[in-house]
Amino acid sequence: MMGVPATLGDDFLRERAAKMRESLQKSQTITDNVVSILGSFDHRLSALETAMRPTQIRTNSIRKAHENIDKTLKAAEVILAQFDLSRQAEMKILKGPHEDLESYLGSIGQLRNIIKFFSSQKGFKSSEVVLNHANNLLAKAISKLEDEFRQLLSSYSKPVEPERLFDCLPKSLQPSSDSPGHHDDSNGKNPSSNHHAAHHDNSLETAVFTPPTLIPPRVLPLLHELSQQMVQAGHQQQILKVYRDTRSVVLEESLRKLGVEKLSKEDVQKMAWEVLEAKIGNWIHFMRIAVKLLFAGERQVCDQIFEGFESLRDQSFAEVTSSSVSVLFSFGEAIAKSKRSPEKLFVLLDMYEIMRELHSEIETIFKGEACNEIRESASGLTKRLAQTAKDTFGDFEEAVEKDATKTAVLDGTVHPLTSYVINYVKFLFDYQATLKQLFQEFACSGQTSSELASVTMQIMQALQSNLDGKSKHYRDPALTHLFLMNNIHYIVRSVRRSEAKDLLGDDWVQRHRRVVQQHANQYKRNAWSKILQCLSVQGLTSSGGGSIPGIDGGNSSGVSRALIKDRFKTFNMQFEELHQRQSQWAVPDTELRESLRLSVAEVLLPAYRSFLKRFGPLVDGGKNPQKYVRYQPEDLERMLGEFFEGKNMSEPKR
């Protein structure tokens, strides 16, 4: 190849180039032909598409028509299903709820859904007709529900018997009497009041009060469903009226069976105190039962039936209980507004105490705006009772000081006023906590304990002032002081044995013990100074003066036998008179009585022994000595033991 000439190489290349040019020309020709063929296809396809367009339009219309038919058939099926449900619901509703309440309530729900469905079907020509029929049917259904609610509530609403209520109380409050509603009626100023002991029983603070079952638990869900349906139908007022009319009557009857009476202010004012006192004791008992058991139970029932409807719940409870609350509160108001008298203080404190005890429960049970009036009435009654008790407390002090009782204490013993006031004061200390709370209602400062001490001292001072006045009615000064001694001793002894000692203090006690001793000394001075003069040696000489020489062998120079006889005679007469009178006087305290006898004996007997020893022989030697020396010292001592026994008094009242 290396030897091939250059010309041959050129020819070869030209030949190859010519072949390639020829191939390209053929390829271009083929391409042009293919383009021409494809162009003719495009023209024909366009013509075909133009020819098929009407067919495609008709096909789409048919497809859309089928789709619309499907939609219409489905809508018709839904409407027909609603008609079927409507017929089913109507059949159940026409039967009424009594046989199958749950199914009946389900039918009402279906009916509401049907009404909702057709309300949204504005294009359905018969919607209005269907809706009218469904709404009329729903109205009938709700009316039957109202009847069923009334019948069901009435069937299971029965008054609670007193025995059931008593079983719900703590044992300390359960009455021992067989008479329903009547427990121990003792109240007032009697310190043995079992009622007040119950008030201050500390166990009550933790005692459990279990409200009775007013309506069976299985019935409450049904009543709730019924009330819910009626509220949804806009029948709140109808169900409220049914509930109020049914439950309020039952509640009032439960209280009536318990013993609660509807008493006016005039009825209260006409009552004898003993009767009224018993009714107040029962009222306190009834208030606790009503609030803690009946009203609490009623609130539970109301809350469950009207659960989810707070306003209706509170309004229903307020209207059910308002009449019963009014009956209870009106009695309390009548007492608070009645004429004040000292014996009412303790029942007023008891009433104030129970209202304070029930305050938190009343606030809880009677919650909500609908019960505002009831809560305000309770608060107002509590304040009026506090004010009346406070005023009565003040009246008592004034009454003690001005007491003008004509009760005569001829024997000088403890006056009824003294024992009354002391028992009154002692009983006040059972109410210390209550009085402290009461003073806080009105006090500007918190010194409630000192206020109680101050009031107690004022009462004691008023009593002593009155006793001083009464003591002046005695004609015998000795009896005046014996009377004051007895009464102040009784006061001091009573204070020492009570809580009043801590309040009044030891200084007060010691000061008044000294007053007792002063009156005892004054009694001795007034009662015995005259008779002791008979035993004095002064004035026994015949000349009426000079000293008395000693007695020797029964003779006494310068002593008048006649004077000696007269002295013995006078002594006998005075002692017998004292014995007759003062054995009728009384010193009721055994220790004080013995102490007073002893103090008299310590003065009288030594003087008599001395006089008898010195001058007795002058009389013994004469005629009828027993006429003059009638008593030996032992006789006097025995007769002194009969003093202050309080035997029958025959002395007329001054």
Side-chain angles (χ1 to χ4, degrees), residues 7 13 28 169 340 543-544:
T7 56
L13 289 172
Q28 182 63 44
L169 293 172
R340 297 195 301 268
S543 61

Side-chain angles (χ1 to χ4, degrees), residues 163-177 183-184 194-195 197-199 201-210 285 288-289 292-293:
E163 290 74 15
R164 276 188 64 205
L165 291 172
F166 297 152
D167 289 341
C168 298
L169 293 172
K171 288 187 177 180
S172 61
L173 289 178
Q174 292 180 3
S176 57
S177 170
H183 63 306
D184 187 346
N194 291 334
H195 161 68
H199 262 270
D201 185 353
N202 291 332
S203 65
L204 286 181
E205 296 177 5
T206 56
V208 176
F209 292 78
T210 307
H285 195 49
R288 187 181 278 114
I289 289 175
K292 291 178 178 284
L293 300 181

Side-chain angles (χ1 to χ4, degrees), residues 62-81 83 117 121 123-125:
I62 293 170
R63 187 177 70 251
K64 287 180 180 179
H66 278 293
E67 288 176 356
N68 289 334
I69 290 171
D70 288 340
K71 287 180 181 179
T72 303
L73 288 174
K74 288 179 181 177
E77 287 175 2
V78 172
I79 290 172
L80 289 172
F83 275 115
F117 173 81
Q121 300 296 316
F124 184 58
K125 293 181 179 180

Side-chain angles (χ1 to χ4, degrees), residues 15 40 60 256 319 332 392 428 459 484 520 568 574 585 616 639:
E15 184 180 352
S40 68
N60 287 336
R256 190 196 65 77
E319 294 195 17
T392 303
L428 278 176
I459 291 174
L484 291 171
F568 273 112
Q574 289 186 7
W585 293 359
M639 293 175 73

Side-chain angles (χ1 to χ4, degrees), residues 534-535 560-576 608 611-612 615-632 635-636:
C534 297
L535 303 178
S560 169
R561 187 186 299 272
L563 284 176
I564 294 298
K565 287 182 178 181
D566 187 60
R567 285 289 186 92
F568 273 112
K569 189 176 179 180
T570 302
F571 176 85
N572 294 337
M573 181 183 66
Q574 289 186 7
F575 185 77
E576 287 165 4
Y608 186 75
F611 190 85
L612 182 62
F615 302 112
L618 290 177
V619 178
D620 288 341
K623 187 179 180 181
N624 297 325
Q626 67 277 5
K627 180 180 178 181
Y628 304 102
V629 183
R630 191 176 296 175
Y631 302 106
Q632 294 300 313
D635 298 324
L636 296 181

Side-chain angles (χ1 to χ4, degrees), residues 354-425:
I354 191 65
M355 292 304 295
R356 290 290 309 172
E357 176 190 323
L358 298 175
H359 172 74
S360 61
E361 280 156 301
I362 289 174
E363 290 290 312
T364 301
I365 294 170
F366 293 94
K367 62 186 177 181
E369 186 177 351
C371 297
N372 278 348
E373 188 175 341
I374 293 176
R375 293 196 305 274
E376 289 171 2
S377 295
S379 178
L381 174 57
T382 304
K383 290 177 181 177
R384 272 184 286 280
L385 288 169
Q387 184 64 57
T388 305
K390 180 177 179 291
D391 293 342
T392 303
F393 207 15
D395 292 345
F396 179 68
E397 179 189 339
E398 184 178 352
V400 169
E401 188 168 4
K402 295 182 178 179
D403 176 76
T405 178
K406 299 300 182 182
T407 303
V409 184
L410 299 178
D411 58 4
T413 190
V414 176
H415 197 280
L417 176 66
T418 303
S419 57
Y420 172 69
V421 171
I422 292 303
N423 284 340
Y424 202 94
V425 170

Side-chain angles (χ1 to χ4, degrees), residues 7 64 89 106 127 153 155 246 274 308 314 320 354 356 507 542:
T7 56
K64 287 180 180 179
S127 288
L153 184 65
S155 296
T246 304
E274 293 75 14
D314 293 343
V320 165
I354 191 65
R356 290 290 309 172
D507 289 345
S542 57

Side-chain angles (χ1 to χ4, degrees), residues 224 227-229 231-232 305-314:
H224 172 65
S227 68
Q228 194 172 35
Q229 292 290 342
V231 171
Q232 288 177 4
I305 291 177
F306 299 112
E307 183 183 0
F309 308 105
E310 183 177 337
S311 177
L312 178 61
R313 177 195 68 194
D314 293 343

